[in-house]
């Protein structure tokens, strides 16, 4: 990983081996190349499919009452060793924590997505901005919407 842009700063990093995460699903989107992928998802973007793996399928129970959900995913194709970056859309450099770049020490992406429908063990959503096949880390109801009106019936 040595092809960095002018003025970017790379640091030596250890191979992370703690705080292991479980991938709980996979995200299917129309984008297979980063250059085609939106920089931030749009609520009127294309329908995408979030596939949930067992044993986490029962964790979807009740999610259908929410219009908006937060999707957390692992930007698995990202490098993780830049502290200063030179974004392609800018002629300035910025610290990694001043950017929403996928290049981060722990490449977690988040979006607020519109929940279109639940289809068995999958969710159909709009508003994503990740590559096809991106691993899913977690789903949460949108924090503003999180006041379940009625508990889901068993
Ligand atoms: N919405 C998220 C956030 O703000 O945390 C991610 C924003 S990031 C700027 C979105 C970009 O990450 C996409 O345009 C694409 O270039 C890149 N990207 C998408 N999926 C990726 C993946 N699986 N691995 C690495 N980079 C990815």
């Amino acid at each position: 990983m040595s092809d960095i842009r002018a003025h970017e700063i790379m640091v030596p990093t250890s191979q992370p081996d703690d705080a292991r995460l479980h991938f709980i699903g996979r995200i299917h989107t129309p984008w297979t190349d980063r250059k085609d992928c939106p920089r931030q998802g749009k609520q009127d973007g294309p329908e995408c499919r979030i596939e949930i793996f067992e044993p986490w399928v029962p964790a979807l129970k009740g999610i259908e009452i929410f219009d908006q959900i937060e999707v957390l995913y692992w930007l698995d194709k990202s490098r993780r060793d830049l502290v200063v970056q030179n974004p392609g859309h800018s002629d300035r450099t910025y610290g990694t924590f001043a950017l929403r770049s996928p290049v981060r020490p722990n490449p977690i992406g988040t979006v607020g997505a519109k929940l279109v429908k639940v289809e068995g063990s999958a969710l159909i959503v709009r508003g994503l901005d990740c590559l096809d096949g991106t691993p899913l880390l977690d789903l949460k109801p949108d924090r503003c919407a999180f006041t379940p009106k009625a508990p889901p019936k068993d």
Side-chain angles (χ1 to χ4, degrees):
M1 292 246 181
S2 56
D3 52 336
I4 63 176
R5 296 191 179 111
H7 313 300
E8 294 187 326
I9 301 173
M10 185 173 70
V11 292
T13 53
S14 58
Q15 196 64 29
D17 64 356
D18 56 355
R20 289 192 180 83
L21 299 166
H22 298 281
F23 296 157
I24 57 154
R26 191 164 301 286
I27 304 177
H28 300 284
T29 72
W31 307 293
T32 55
D33 192 317
R34 269 182 255 198
K35 71 175 168 29
D36 301 324
C37 203
R39 289 211 346 249
Q40 289 295 336
K42 297 199 178 92
Q43 297 289 296
D44 61 353
E47 288 193 358
C48 299
R49 184 177 184 85
I50 302 178
E51 171 198 1
I52 308 297
F53 300 152
E54 290 291 4
W56 292 101
V57 175
L60 292 175
K61 183 180 176 187
I63 200 166
E64 66 282 352
I65 68 169
F66 296 101
D67 297 327
Q68 285 287 129
I69 56 170
E70 287 176 21
V71 183
L72 286 77
Y73 45 90
W74 190 250
L75 293 152
D76 59 337
K77 306 280 194 300
S78 285
R79 64 186 302 153
R80 301 172 63 171
D81 58 353
L82 296 188
V83 287
V84 171
Q85 302 183 41
N86 178 6
H89 57 83
S90 170
D91 54 7
R92 289 186 50 195
T93 55
Y94 299 85
T96 291
F97 302 146
L99 293 168
R100 294 203 68 106
S101 161
V103 176
R104 338 194 50 79
N106 296 299
I108 294 172
T110 63
V111 285
K114 179 175 174 50
L115 177 58
V116 177
K117 61 182 166 182
V118 180
E119 277 185 356
S121 61
L123 302 182
I124 308 300
V125 303
R126 292 183 190 272
L128 298 187
D129 53 15
C130 60
L131 294 170
D132 188 42
T134 295
L136 178 69
L137 292 177
D138 206 352
L139 297 170
K140 304 182 190 189
D142 179 78
R143 83 195 65 194
C144 300
F146 185 64
T147 319
K149 292 150 202 133
K153 294 210 164 61
D154 287 326

